[in-house]
Amino acid sequence: MKTWFMITAAALSLAACTPSVVEKLPYYKMPVVQGIPLDVDVIMSVQTGMTREQVELTLGKPLLRPAFRDNQWVYDYAIMHGGKIKEKRDLTVYFNGDRVSRVSGSALDYAHEKILRKNNSIQK
């Protein structure tokens, strides 16, 4: 009887360790942050006419400096949780010579949305 109980307990404990069960556990999936998280105020502080040095002091060093496109710097940011991308933003700064000519990307759109929401909540 004791051996039967031990075998049943061992079988049940091994069944609890299957990948499908473990994937459902919240503490098993750690969030992974990749890239440079950009704050709304920092994103909005990048303006046309800034030098490369000023951009680097404001945003930090870019993750990507394309070899054949010296006129743009790319900043990527993503949060993965459980192997799935939960949040992803990018910001591309374009240069004309040594000066910023324009800024684009989903991070800029996100910053505009946050500012609009903030202004709407203040007005209410």
Side-chain angles (χ1 to χ4, degrees):
M1 181 80 154
K2 188 175 183 180
T3 56
W4 183 81
F5 178 74
M6 294 298 283
I7 291 171
T8 304
L12 288 175
S13 64
L14 287 175
C17 293
T18 60
S20 61
V21 173
V22 173
E23 286 176 0
K24 294 177 184 173
L25 299 173
Y27 57 84
Y28 180 71
K29 301 174 192 174
M30 298 288 294
V32 177
V33 178
Q34 295 180 330
I36 301 169
L38 299 172
D39 186 50
V40 172
D41 296 328
V42 173
I43 294 168
M44 297 308 294
S45 67
V46 178
Q47 301 293 323
T48 57
M50 290 176 75
T51 65
R52 290 176 189 257
E53 290 174 349
Q54 289 172 323
V55 172
E56 192 169 327
L57 286 172
T58 304
L59 297 175
K61 291 187 180 254
L63 290 177
L64 299 173
R65 288 187 187 179
F68 299 108
R69 292 189 206 129
D70 190 37
N71 63 337
Q72 70 183 35
W73 288 356
V74 179
Y75 296 85
D76 281 329
Y77 171 71
I79 295 178
M80 295 178 66
H81 193 59
K84 297 177 184 172
I85 296 176
K86 297 293 183 183
E87 189 177 321
K88 181 177 172 133
R89 290 188 210 111
D90 65 279
L91 184 72
T92 305
V93 181
Y94 296 92
F95 294 95
N96 186 3
D98 190 40
R99 302 282 179 171
V100 174
S101 60
R102 69 184 172 106
V103 181
S104 67
S106 61
L108 190 61
D109 298 334
Y110 172 78
H112 286 293
E113 281 180 28
K114 287 287 256 188
I115 291 171
L116 280 174
R117 278 192 227 142
K118 184 179 176 181
N119 289 341
N120 288 338
S121 67
I122 290 173
Q123 291 176 356
K124 289 182 181 180

